[in-house]
Amino acid sequence: GENVEQHPSTLSVQEGDSAVIKCTYSDSASNYFPWYKQELGKRPQLIIDIRSNVGEKKDQRIAVTLNKTAKHFSLHITETQPEDSAVYFCAEKRSNYQLIWGAGTKLIIKP
Amino acid sequence: NAGVMQNPRHLVRRRGQEARLRCSPMKGHSHVYWYRQLPEEGLKFMVYLQKENIIDESGMPKERFSAEFPKEGPSILRIQQVVRGDSAAYFCASSPRKGNYEQYFGPGTRLTVT
Protein backbone atom coordinates (compact mmCIF):
# COMPACT_ATOMS: atom_id res chain seq x y z
CA GLY A 1 0.00 0.00 0.00
CA GLU A 2 0.88 3.67 -0.17
CA ASN A 3 0.58 4.56 3.49
CA VAL A 4 2.07 3.63 6.79
CA GLU A 5 -0.23 1.36 8.76
CA GLN A 6 -0.32 2.13 12.45
CA HIS A 7 -1.94 0.05 15.22
CA PRO A 8 -3.75 0.32 17.48
CA SER A 9 -5.76 3.47 16.86
CA THR A 10 -6.45 3.79 20.58
CA LEU A 11 -4.46 2.32 23.44
CA SER A 12 -5.44 2.54 27.07
CA VAL A 13 -2.91 1.39 29.69
CA GLN A 14 -2.63 1.61 33.45
CA GLU A 15 -0.14 4.12 34.77
CA GLY A 16 3.18 2.41 35.25
CA ASP A 17 2.55 -0.25 32.61
CA SER A 18 4.18 -0.38 29.18
CA ALA A 19 2.68 0.74 25.88
CA VAL A 20 3.61 -0.56 22.45
CA ILE A 21 2.58 0.98 19.14
CA LYS A 22 3.35 -0.73 15.85
CA CYS A 23 3.76 0.51 12.30
CA THR A 24 4.22 -1.19 8.97
CA TYR A 25 5.64 0.55 5.93
CA SER A 26 5.77 -0.37 2.28
CA ASP A 27 8.75 1.36 0.64
CA SER A 28 11.82 -0.80 1.11
CA ALA A 29 14.01 2.17 0.19
CA SER A 30 12.83 4.18 3.21
CA ASN A 31 15.64 4.60 5.71
CA TYR A 32 14.49 7.05 8.36
CA PHE A 33 11.62 6.46 10.78
CA PRO A 34 10.66 9.16 13.29
CA TRP A 35 8.02 9.06 15.99
CA TYR A 36 6.11 12.18 16.92
CA LYS A 37 3.97 13.02 19.92
CA GLN A 38 1.12 15.46 19.49
CA GLU A 39 -0.83 16.84 22.42
CA LEU A 40 -4.29 18.24 21.81
CA GLY A 41 -4.15 21.47 19.82
CA LYS A 42 -0.36 21.49 19.67
CA ARG A 43 2.34 20.83 17.13
CA PRO A 44 3.84 17.37 16.56
CA GLN A 45 7.11 16.97 18.42
CA LEU A 46 9.79 14.43 17.63
CA ILE A 47 10.36 12.04 20.52
CA ILE A 48 12.65 9.47 18.96
CA ASP A 49 13.83 8.38 15.53
CA ILE A 50 15.71 5.49 14.01
CA ARG A 51 17.70 5.06 10.85
CA SER A 52 17.74 1.86 8.88
CA ASN A 53 21.30 0.93 9.79
CA VAL A 54 20.31 0.11 13.38
CA GLY A 55 17.72 -2.24 14.82
CA GLU A 56 16.98 -0.53 18.12
CA LYS A 57 17.37 2.82 19.82
CA LYS A 58 16.57 3.78 23.37
CA ASP A 59 16.15 7.08 25.17
CA GLN A 60 15.20 6.74 28.84
CA ARG A 61 11.65 5.32 28.94
CA ILE A 62 11.22 5.34 25.17
CA ALA A 63 12.60 2.85 22.69
CA VAL A 64 12.09 2.13 19.02
CA THR A 65 12.77 -1.12 17.21
CA LEU A 66 13.06 -1.64 13.48
CA ASN A 67 12.69 -4.87 11.50
CA LYS A 68 13.68 -4.05 7.93
CA THR A 69 12.94 -7.50 6.61
CA ALA A 70 9.36 -7.39 7.80
CA LYS A 71 9.10 -3.61 7.30
CA HIS A 72 7.87 -3.12 10.86
CA PHE A 73 8.90 -0.59 13.45
CA SER A 74 7.54 -0.13 16.94
CA LEU A 75 7.49 2.41 19.73
CA HIS A 76 7.84 1.16 23.29
CA ILE A 77 7.09 3.35 26.30
CA THR A 78 7.86 1.86 29.70
CA GLU A 79 6.67 2.99 33.14
CA THR A 80 3.98 5.15 31.57
CA GLN A 81 3.02 8.40 33.25
CA PRO A 82 -0.06 10.67 32.89
CA GLU A 83 1.93 13.13 30.78
CA ASP A 84 2.46 10.41 28.19
CA SER A 85 -1.20 10.75 27.23
CA ALA A 86 -1.25 12.13 23.66
CA VAL A 87 -1.56 11.03 20.06
CA TYR A 88 1.54 9.32 18.71
CA PHE A 89 2.40 9.23 15.02
CA CYS A 90 4.91 7.06 13.24
CA ALA A 91 6.33 8.15 9.91
CA GLU A 92 8.66 6.92 7.21
CA LYS A 93 10.84 9.12 5.12
CA ARG A 94 10.83 7.97 1.54
CA SER A 95 13.63 8.38 -0.93
CA ASN A 96 11.86 11.35 -2.49
CA TYR A 97 12.04 13.11 0.90
CA GLN A 98 8.34 12.84 1.63
CA LEU A 99 7.44 12.09 5.22
CA ILE A 100 4.54 9.63 5.13
CA TRP A 101 2.57 9.46 8.37
CA GLY A 102 0.58 6.79 10.10
CA ALA A 103 -2.97 7.61 11.17
CA GLY A 104 -2.00 8.00 14.80
CA THR A 105 -2.52 6.19 18.09
CA LYS A 106 -4.37 7.88 20.91
CA LEU A 107 -2.61 6.79 24.10
CA ILE A 108 -4.62 7.07 27.29
CA ILE A 109 -2.88 6.56 30.62
CA LYS A 110 -5.31 5.51 33.33
CA PRO A 111 -4.43 6.62 36.86
CA ASN B 1 17.03 30.75 18.46
CA ALA B 2 13.36 31.07 17.58
CA GLY B 3 11.59 27.98 16.38
CA VAL B 4 9.42 27.64 13.31
CA MET B 5 6.89 30.46 13.22
CA GLN B 6 3.51 30.34 11.59
CA ASN B 7 0.89 33.02 11.26
CA PRO B 8 -1.87 33.52 11.68
CA ARG B 9 -2.57 30.87 14.29
CA HIS B 10 -6.28 30.97 13.52
CA LEU B 11 -7.86 32.07 10.28
CA VAL B 12 -11.54 32.28 9.45
CA ARG B 13 -12.61 32.67 5.86
CA ARG B 14 -15.94 32.57 4.07
CA ARG B 15 -16.41 30.24 1.15
CA GLY B 16 -14.88 31.73 -1.98
CA GLN B 17 -12.33 33.90 -0.20
CA GLU B 18 -8.58 33.45 -0.29
CA ALA B 19 -6.46 32.15 2.57
CA ARG B 20 -2.76 32.96 2.97
CA LEU B 21 -0.75 31.01 5.49
CA ARG B 22 2.79 32.03 6.38
CA CYS B 23 5.71 30.03 7.66
CA SER B 24 9.10 31.28 8.77
CA PRO B 25 11.55 28.40 9.13
CA MET B 26 14.10 28.10 11.88
CA LYS B 27 17.21 30.19 11.43
CA GLY B 28 19.61 28.44 9.12
CA HIS B 29 16.94 26.13 7.67
CA SER B 30 16.37 26.34 3.95
CA HIS B 31 13.91 23.46 3.52
CA VAL B 32 10.22 23.86 4.23
CA TYR B 33 7.43 21.29 4.20
CA TRP B 34 3.70 21.93 4.40
CA TYR B 35 1.22 19.40 5.86
CA ARG B 36 -2.52 19.35 6.34
CA GLN B 37 -4.19 17.68 9.30
CA LEU B 38 -7.89 16.98 9.53
CA PRO B 39 -9.41 16.36 12.99
CA GLU B 40 -8.61 12.93 14.40
CA GLU B 41 -6.26 12.17 11.49
CA GLY B 42 -2.57 12.13 10.77
CA LEU B 43 -0.65 14.68 8.78
CA LYS B 44 -0.80 14.60 5.01
CA PHE B 45 2.20 15.84 3.06
CA MET B 46 1.39 18.68 0.68
CA VAL B 47 4.55 20.29 -0.64
CA TYR B 48 8.31 20.51 -0.11
CA LEU B 49 10.17 23.68 -0.97
CA GLN B 50 13.64 25.08 -0.88
CA LYS B 51 14.42 28.73 -1.35
CA GLU B 52 12.87 29.81 -4.67
CA ASN B 53 12.18 26.21 -5.70
CA ILE B 54 9.33 23.77 -5.39
CA ILE B 55 10.94 20.38 -4.98
CA ASP B 56 7.89 18.16 -4.60
CA GLU B 57 4.25 19.25 -4.75
CA SER B 58 2.78 15.82 -5.30
CA GLY B 59 0.58 16.09 -2.21
CA MET B 60 -0.99 19.38 -3.10
CA PRO B 61 -4.34 19.63 -4.90
CA LYS B 62 -3.76 20.79 -8.45
CA GLU B 63 -6.38 23.51 -8.30
CA ARG B 64 -6.73 26.45 -5.91
CA PHE B 65 -3.59 25.60 -3.90
CA SER B 66 -0.15 27.08 -4.44
CA ALA B 67 3.00 27.48 -2.41
CA GLU B 68 6.13 29.55 -2.61
CA PHE B 69 9.31 30.13 -0.66
CA PRO B 70 10.90 33.33 -1.92
CA LYS B 71 14.49 34.33 -1.51
CA GLU B 72 13.46 36.80 1.16
CA GLY B 73 10.58 36.35 3.55
CA PRO B 74 8.43 33.48 4.73
CA SER B 75 7.04 30.56 2.82
CA ILE B 76 3.42 31.13 1.81
CA LEU B 77 0.69 28.56 1.29
CA ARG B 78 -2.13 30.10 -0.66
CA ILE B 79 -5.61 28.67 -1.00
CA GLN B 80 -7.89 30.39 -3.46
CA GLN B 81 -11.70 30.21 -3.41
CA VAL B 82 -11.77 28.26 -0.17
CA VAL B 83 -14.42 25.61 0.42
CA ARG B 84 -15.62 24.04 3.67
CA GLY B 85 -13.47 20.99 3.01
CA ASP B 86 -10.36 23.14 3.27
CA SER B 87 -11.01 23.57 7.01
CA ALA B 88 -8.07 21.93 8.74
CA ALA B 89 -4.88 22.58 10.64
CA TYR B 90 -1.99 23.42 8.35
CA PHE B 91 1.47 22.77 9.73
CA CYS B 92 4.77 23.70 8.25
CA ALA B 93 8.07 22.14 9.19
CA SER B 94 11.64 23.05 8.38
CA SER B 95 14.91 21.19 8.23
CA PRO B 96 18.48 22.35 7.73
CA ARG B 97 19.06 20.35 4.57
CA LYS B 98 17.56 17.57 2.56
CA GLY B 99 17.86 13.97 3.54
CA ASN B 100 17.06 12.14 6.72
CA TYR B 101 17.02 14.97 9.18
CA GLU B 102 14.52 15.94 11.79
CA GLN B 103 11.74 18.21 10.70
CA TYR B 104 10.86 20.91 13.21
CA PHE B 105 7.20 21.85 13.25
CA GLY B 106 5.55 25.20 13.64
CA PRO B 107 2.47 25.68 15.86
CA GLY B 108 0.11 25.38 12.91
CA THR B 109 -2.59 27.55 11.40
CA ARG B 110 -6.15 26.48 12.03
CA LEU B 111 -8.25 27.42 9.04
CA THR B 112 -12.00 27.52 9.41
CA VAL B 113 -14.15 28.07 6.35
CA THR B 114 -17.67 29.22 7.09
Coordinates of all heavy atoms in Angstrom, one line a residue, chain A residues 65-102:
Chain A
T65 N 12.1 0.0 17.9 CA 12.8 -1.1 17.2 C 12.4 -1.1 15.7 O 11.3 -0.7 15.4 CB 12.3 -2.5 17.8 OG1 10.9 -2.5 17.8 CG2 12.7 -2.5 19.3
L66 N 13.3 -1.6 14.9 CA 13.1 -1.6 13.5 C 13.4 -3.0 12.9 O 14.5 -3.6 13.2 CB 13.9 -0.6 12.8 CG 14.0 -0.6 11.3 CD1 12.6 -0.3 10.7 CD2 15.0 0.4 10.7
N67 N 12.5 -3.6 12.2 CA 12.7 -4.9 11.5 C 12.6 -4.6 10.0 O 11.5 -4.5 9.5 CB 11.7 -5.9 12.0 CG 11.8 -7.3 11.3 OD1 12.4 -7.4 10.2 ND2 11.4 -8.3 12.0
K68 N 13.7 -4.4 9.3 CA 13.7 -4.0 7.9 C 13.1 -5.2 7.0 O 12.5 -4.9 6.0 CB 15.1 -3.7 7.5 CG 15.5 -2.3 7.9 CD 16.9 -1.9 7.3 CE 16.8 -1.8 5.8 NZ 18.1 -1.4 5.2
T69 N 13.4 -6.4 7.4 CA 12.9 -7.5 6.6 C 11.4 -7.5 6.5 O 10.8 -7.7 5.5 CB 13.5 -8.8 7.2 OG1 14.9 -8.8 7.3 CG2 13.0 -10.0 6.3
A70 N 10.8 -7.4 7.7 CA 9.4 -7.4 7.8 C 8.7 -6.0 7.6 O 7.5 -5.9 7.5 CB 8.9 -7.9 9.2
K71 N 9.6 -5.0 7.5 CA 9.1 -3.6 7.3 C 8.2 -3.2 8.4 O 7.1 -2.6 8.2 CB 8.4 -3.4 6.0 CG 9.3 -3.6 4.8 CD 8.6 -3.4 3.5 CE 9.4 -3.9 2.3 NZ 8.6 -3.9 1.0
H72 N 8.6 -3.5 9.7 CA 7.9 -3.1 10.9 C 8.8 -2.2 11.7 O 10.0 -2.5 11.8 CB 7.5 -4.3 11.7 CG 6.5 -5.3 11.1 ND1 5.5 -4.9 10.3 CD2 6.4 -6.6 11.3 CE1 4.8 -5.9 10.0 NE2 5.3 -7.0 10.5
F73 N 8.2 -1.3 12.4 CA 8.9 -0.6 13.5 C 7.9 -0.3 14.6 O 6.7 -0.1 14.3 CB 9.7 0.6 13.0 CG 8.8 1.7 12.3 CD1 8.7 3.0 12.9 CD2 8.3 1.5 11.0 CE1 8.0 4.0 12.2 CE2 7.5 2.5 10.4 CZ 7.4 3.7 11.0
S74 N 8.4 -0.3 15.8 CA 7.5 -0.1 16.9 C 8.1 0.9 17.9 O 9.3 1.0 18.1 CB 7.4 -1.5 17.6 OG 6.8 -2.4 16.8
L75 N 7.2 1.5 18.6 CA 7.5 2.4 19.7 C 7.1 1.7 21.0 O 6.0 1.2 21.2 CB 6.7 3.7 19.6 CG 6.9 4.7 20.7 CD1 8.3 5.4 20.6 CD2 5.8 5.8 20.6
H76 N 8.1 1.8 22.0 CA 7.8 1.2 23.3 C 8.0 2.2 24.3 O 9.0 2.9 24.4 CB 8.9 0.0 23.6 CG 8.9 -1.0 22.5 ND1 8.4 -2.3 22.7 CD2 9.3 -1.0 21.2 CE1 8.6 -3.0 21.6 NE2 9.1 -2.2 20.7
I77 N 7.0 2.4 25.2 CA 7.1 3.3 26.3 C 6.9 2.5 27.6 O 5.9 1.9 27.8 CB 6.0 4.4 26.2 CG1 6.0 5.1 24.9 CG2 6.2 5.5 27.4 CD1 4.9 6.1 24.7
T78 N 7.9 2.6 28.4 CA 7.9 1.9 29.7 C 7.5 2.8 30.8 O 7.7 4.0 30.7 CB 9.2 1.2 30.0 OG1 10.2 2.2 30.0 CG2 9.6 0.2 28.9
E79 N 7.0 2.2 31.9 CA 6.7 3.0 33.1 C 5.9 4.2 32.8 O 6.2 5.4 33.1 CB 7.9 3.4 33.9 CG 8.8 2.2 34.3 CD 10.1 2.6 34.9 OE1 10.3 3.8 35.3 OE2 11.0 1.8 34.9
T80 N 4.8 4.0 32.1 CA 4.0 5.1 31.6 C 3.5 6.1 32.7 O 3.2 5.6 33.8 CB 2.8 4.7 30.8 OG1 2.0 3.7 31.6 CG2 3.2 4.0 29.5
Q81 N 3.4 7.4 32.3 CA 3.0 8.4 33.2 C 1.9 9.2 32.6 O 1.7 9.2 31.4 CB 4.2 9.3 33.5 CG 5.4 8.6 34.2 CD 6.7 9.4 34.2 OE1 6.7 10.6 33.8 NE2 7.7 8.8 34.7
P82 N 1.1 9.9 33.4 CA -0.1 10.7 32.9 C 0.3 11.6 31.8 O -0.4 11.8 30.8 CB -0.6 11.4 34.1 CG -0.2 10.6 35.3 CD 1.1 10.0 34.9
E83 N 1.5 12.2 31.8 CA 1.9 13.1 30.8 C 2.3 12.5 29.5 O 2.5 13.1 28.5 CB 3.1 14.0 31.3 CG 4.3 13.2 31.8 CD 4.3 13.0 33.3 OE1 3.2 12.9 33.9 OE2 5.4 13.0 33.9
D84 N 2.3 11.1 29.5 CA 2.5 10.4 28.2 C 1.2 10.4 27.4 O 1.2 10.0 26.2 CB 2.9 9.0 28.5 CG 4.3 8.9 29.1 OD1 5.1 9.8 28.9 OD2 4.6 7.9 29.9
S85 N 0.1 10.7 28.0 CA -1.2 10.8 27.2 C -1.1 11.8 26.1 O -0.8 12.9 26.3 CB -2.4 11.1 28.2 OG -2.6 10.1 29.1
A86 N -1.4 11.3 24.9 CA -1.3 12.1 23.7 C -1.6 11.2 22.5 O -1.9 10.0 22.6 CB 0.2 12.7 23.5
V87 N -1.5 11.8 21.3 CA -1.6 11.0 20.1 C -0.1 10.9 19.5 O 0.6 11.8 19.5 CB -2.5 11.7 19.0 CG1 -2.5 10.9 17.7 CG2 -3.9 11.9 19.6
Y88 N 0.2 9.6 19.2 CA 1.5 9.3 18.7 C 1.5 8.9 17.2 O 0.6 8.2 16.8 CB 2.2 8.2 19.5 CG 2.5 8.6 20.9 CD1 1.5 8.6 21.9 CD2 3.8 8.9 21.3 CE1 1.8 9.0 23.2 CE2 4.1 9.3 22.6 CZ 3.1 9.4 23.5 OH 3.3 9.8 24.8
F89 N 2.4 9.5 16.5 CA 2.4 9.2 15.0 C 3.7 8.6 14.6 O 4.8 9.2 15.0 CB 2.2 10.5 14.2 CG 0.9 11.1 14.3 CD1 0.6 12.2 15.2 CD2 -0.2 10.7 13.5 CE1 -0.6 12.8 15.3 CE2 -1.5 11.3 13.6 CZ -1.7 12.3 14.5
C90 N 3.7 7.6 13.9 CA 4.9 7.1 13.2 C 5.0 7.7 11.8 O 4.0 8.1 11.3 CB 4.9 5.5 13.2 SG 3.6 4.8 12.1
A91 N 6.2 7.6 11.3 CA 6.3 8.1 9.9 C 7.5 7.4 9.3 O 8.4 6.9 10.0 CB 6.5 9.7 9.9
E92 N 7.5 7.4 7.9 CA 8.7 6.9 7.2 C 9.1 8.0 6.2 O 8.2 8.7 5.7 CB 8.3 5.6 6.5 CG 7.3 5.8 5.3 CD 7.2 4.7 4.3 OE1 8.3 4.2 3.8 OE2 6.1 4.2 4.1
K93 N 10.3 8.1 6.1 CA 10.8 9.1 5.1 C 11.3 8.4 3.9 O 12.2 7.6 3.9 CB 12.0 9.9 5.7 CG 12.3 11.2 4.9 CD 12.8 12.3 5.8 CE 12.9 13.6 5.1 NZ 13.6 14.6 5.8
R94 N 10.6 8.7 2.8 CA 10.8 8.0 1.5 C 12.0 8.6 0.8 O 12.4 9.7 1.1 CB 9.6 8.0 0.7 CG 8.4 7.2 1.4 CD 7.4 6.7 0.4 NE 6.5 5.8 1.1 CZ 5.3 5.6 0.8 NH1 4.8 6.2 -0.3 NH2 4.5 4.8 1.4
S95 N 12.5 7.9 -0.2 CA 13.6 8.4 -0.9 C 13.4 9.7 -1.6 O 14.3 10.4 -2.0 CB 14.1 7.3 -1.9 OG 13.0 7.0 -2.8
N96 N 12.1 10.1 -1.9 CA 11.9 11.4 -2.5 C 11.7 12.5 -1.4 O 11.2 13.5 -1.8 CB 10.6 11.3 -3.4 CG 9.4 10.9 -2.6 OD1 9.4 10.7 -1.4 ND2 8.2 10.9 -3.3
Y97 N 12.0 12.2 -0.2 CA 12.0 13.1 0.9 C 10.7 13.4 1.5 O 10.5 14.1 2.4 CB 12.7 14.4 0.5 CG 14.0 14.2 -0.1 CD1 14.3 14.6 -1.4 CD2 15.0 13.6 0.6 CE1 15.5 14.3 -2.0 CE2 16.3 13.4 0.0 CZ 16.5 13.7 -1.3 OH 17.7 13.5 -1.9
Q98 N 9.6 12.7 1.0 CA 8.3 12.8 1.6 C 8.3 12.1 3.0 O 8.9 11.0 3.1 CB 7.2 12.2 0.7 CG 6.8 13.1 -0.4 CD 5.5 12.5 -1.0 OE1 4.7 12.0 -0.3 NE2 5.3 12.7 -2.3
L99 N 7.7 12.7 3.9 CA 7.4 12.1 5.2 C 6.0 11.6 5.2 O 5.1 12.4 5.1 CB 7.6 13.1 6.3 CG 8.0 12.6 7.7 CD1 9.2 11.8 7.8 CD2 8.1 13.8 8.7
I100 N 5.9 10.2 5.2 CA 4.5 9.6 5.1 C 4.2 9.2 6.5 O 4.9 8.5 7.2 CB 4.5 8.4 4.2 CG1 5.1 8.8 2.8 CG2 3.1 7.8 4.1 CD1 4.3 9.9 2.1
W101 N 3.0 9.6 7.0 CA 2.6 9.5 8.4 C 1.6 8.3 8.5 O 0.7 8.1 7.7 CB 1.9 10.8 8.9 CG 2.9 11.9 8.9 CD1 3.5 12.5 7.9 CD2 3.3 12.6 10.1 NE1 4.3 13.5 8.4 CE2 4.2 13.6 9.7 CE3 3.1 12.4 11.5 CZ2 4.8 14.4 10.6 CZ3 3.7 13.3 12.4 CH2 4.6 14.3 11.9
G102 N 1.6 7.7 9.7 CA 0.6 6.8 10.1 C -0.6 7.6 10.6 O -0.5 8.8 10.7

